[in-house]
């Protein structure tokens, strides 16, 4: 997907928000949009989503299915959560069975009979996320997706984002909270002075190389195994580098489902990258 020579202002008398700006996004990219307040991050996200039209320039090769979760979900609508999500699934051609999957995953099953206007800010925000994810988007646009979320959903969202990217989707998000900062392969673009420039992102190869090395059975340099009340950890240091500050160790952890979230939260709080695999067969 490519944005080329794009200029945008809201009205003929308004100042330009973007001027001659460009951006290229590849399938599988997760891109964070940064910039000071009011520089045009939300405007850029709405342009990418197709909700605003460029005044000049073009956006080409936008994926056909777009999910957009706004910074503030417009909750002043006379529906229950269930009716709203059923309606959104119908107009997007999404399988209605997916509604239950997402509401469970986002921890919002208990909200289904609530009226949208009665929802708290965080609950309304989850409805905005659920409707964006329902349609299996090829382009997922998230405007401050972590704002107001409870800890469990905040911890789950990077995994969800990683899954959309892993299936070839493009994910673009603004994220004041910095929750995506540690995501392997994250790209960063800054909106400033009416233009967009790419900043250094996270290298993907550290984690990917180590995962590949383990998949191919590279012998552990410092393999360890522990048993701790049902928690088994095998550690394999596959970095193979003399520079330990750059070394990455991948832990495979088998933990009972009831403890998985708590453990993932603890590890993320310590700054580690955690992916939750849902396979239970063992
Ligand atoms: N609907 C609108 N009509 C006119 N001007 C608007 C509209 N929405 C935003 N703007 C203006 O466009 C500029 C960019 O706003 P935008 O909300 O995109 O910035 P932002 O970087 O997302 O801000 P923040 O970090 O505060 O969320 C601001 O000057 C804002 O006042």
């Amino acid at each position: 997907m490519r944005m080329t020579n794009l200029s945008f202002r809201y009205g003929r008398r308004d100042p330009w928000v973007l001027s001659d700006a460009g951006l290229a996004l590849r399938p599988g990219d997760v891109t964070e949009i940064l910039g000071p307040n009011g520089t045009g991050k939300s405007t850029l996200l709405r342009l990418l989503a197709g909700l605003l039209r460029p005044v000049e320039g073009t956006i080409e090769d936008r994926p056909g299915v777009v999910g957009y979760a706004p910074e503030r979900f417009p909750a002043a609508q006379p529906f229950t959560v269930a009716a709203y999500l059923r309606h959104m699934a119908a107009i997007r051609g999404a399988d209605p069975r997916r509604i239950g999957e997402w509401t469970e995953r986002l921890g919002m099953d208990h909200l289904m009979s609530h009226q949208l206007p009665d929802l708290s800010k965080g609950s309304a925000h989850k409805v905005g996320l659920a409707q964006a994810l329902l349609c299996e988007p090829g382009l997922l646009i998230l405007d401050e997706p972590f704002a107001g979320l409870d800890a469990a959903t905040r911890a789950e969202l990077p995994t969800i984002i990683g899954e959309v990217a892993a299936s070839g989707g493009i994910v673009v998000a603004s994220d004041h909270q910095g929750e995506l900062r540690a995501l392997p392969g994250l790209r960063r673009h800054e909106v400033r002075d009416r233009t967009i420039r790419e900043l250094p992102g996270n290298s993907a190869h550290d984690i990917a190389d180590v995962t590949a090395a383990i998949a191919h059975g590279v012998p552990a340099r410092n393999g360890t195994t522990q048993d701790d009340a049902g928690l088994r950890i095998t550690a394999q240091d596959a970095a193979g580098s003399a520079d330990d500050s750059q070394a990455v160790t991948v832990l495979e952890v088998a933990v009972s489902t009831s403890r998985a979230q708590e453990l993932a939260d603890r590890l993320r709080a310590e700054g580690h990258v955690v992916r939750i695999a849902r396979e239970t067969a063992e």
Side-chain angles (χ1 to χ4, degrees):
M1 176 173 172
R2 270 182 323 283
M3 166 184 272
T4 313
N5 303 126
L6 186 141
S7 299
F8 180 84
R9 59 183 170 185
Y10 280 91
R12 290 171 68 88
R13 290 165 194 271
D14 290 331
W16 292 99
V17 180
L18 292 172
S19 174
D20 206 18
L23 178 65
L25 302 165
R26 298 171 305 222
D29 273 353
V30 180
T31 298
E32 181 187 353
I33 303 297
L34 304 94
N37 290 126
T39 48
K41 298 179 295 297
S42 296
T43 303
L44 171 61
L45 295 178
R46 290 196 290 261
L47 283 159
L48 290 171
L51 298 169
L52 292 173
R53 291 180 47 186
V55 174
E56 289 165 13
T58 54
I59 297 178
E60 294 165 296
D61 298 331
R62 181 188 285 115
V65 182
V66 180
Y68 168 74
E71 187 173 7
R72 275 177 290 278
F73 176 74
Q77 306 182 61
F79 301 110
T80 62
V81 172
Y84 172 78
L85 291 178
R86 276 200 306 271
H87 174 70
M88 294 309 283
I91 60 176
R92 300 259 177 84
D95 182 344
R97 282 172 301 193
R98 305 223 59 208
I99 295 173
E101 287 169 32
W102 285 113
T103 55
E104 185 191 349
R105 205 152 171 205
L106 296 170
M108 53 185 285
D109 278 343
H110 62 293
L111 300 172
M112 296 304 268
S113 60
H114 289 48
Q115 294 289 330
L116 290 178
D118 297 340
L119 296 175
S120 70
K121 189 164 167 268
S123 297
H125 193 68
K126 287 184 179 185
V127 178
L129 289 172
Q131 60 78 31
L133 289 160
L134 266 181
C135 55
E136 297 185 43
L139 172 64
L140 177 62
I141 309 267
L142 304 170
D143 199 346
E144 297 298 340
F146 295 95
L149 285 186
D150 53 65
T153 316
R154 224 169 43 235
E156 179 71 355
L157 199 50
T159 308
I160 293 171
I161 288 171
E163 287 170 8
V164 173
S167 63
I170 298 171
V171 184
V172 189
S174 57
D175 174 28
H176 267 121
Q177 327 258 323
E179 299 276 340
L180 292 176
R181 205 167 290 153
L183 204 73
L186 180 74
R187 296 179 68 193
R188 291 191 177 85
H189 285 84
E190 184 182 41
V191 184
R192 192 188 274 268
D193 301 330
R194 296 178 295 284
T195 193
I196 303 167
R197 68 189 178 107
E198 182 153 18
L199 305 178
N202 293 346
S203 62
H205 64 268
D206 285 355
I207 296 286
D209 283 356
V210 173
T211 306
I214 286 173
H216 291 102
V218 172
R221 204 173 55 167
N222 300 319
T224 61
T225 304
Q226 296 173 12
D227 243 305
D228 167 18
L231 174 68
R232 196 184 68 236
I233 300 178
T234 59
Q236 188 165 21
D237 182 344
S241 152
D243 179 4
D244 271 353
S245 67
Q246 297 298 314
V248 175
T249 298
V250 174
L251 304 178
E252 282 187 86
V253 181
V255 59
S256 67
T257 302
S258 60
R259 291 190 53 201
Q261 195 62 60
E262 170 213 325
L263 181 68
D265 288 352
R266 228 166 59 210
L267 290 167
R268 285 193 183 106
E270 287 177 31
H272 304 294
V273 176
V274 178
R275 295 200 184 107
I276 300 180
R278 293 184 175 274
E279 296 298 326
T280 52
E282 202 182 14

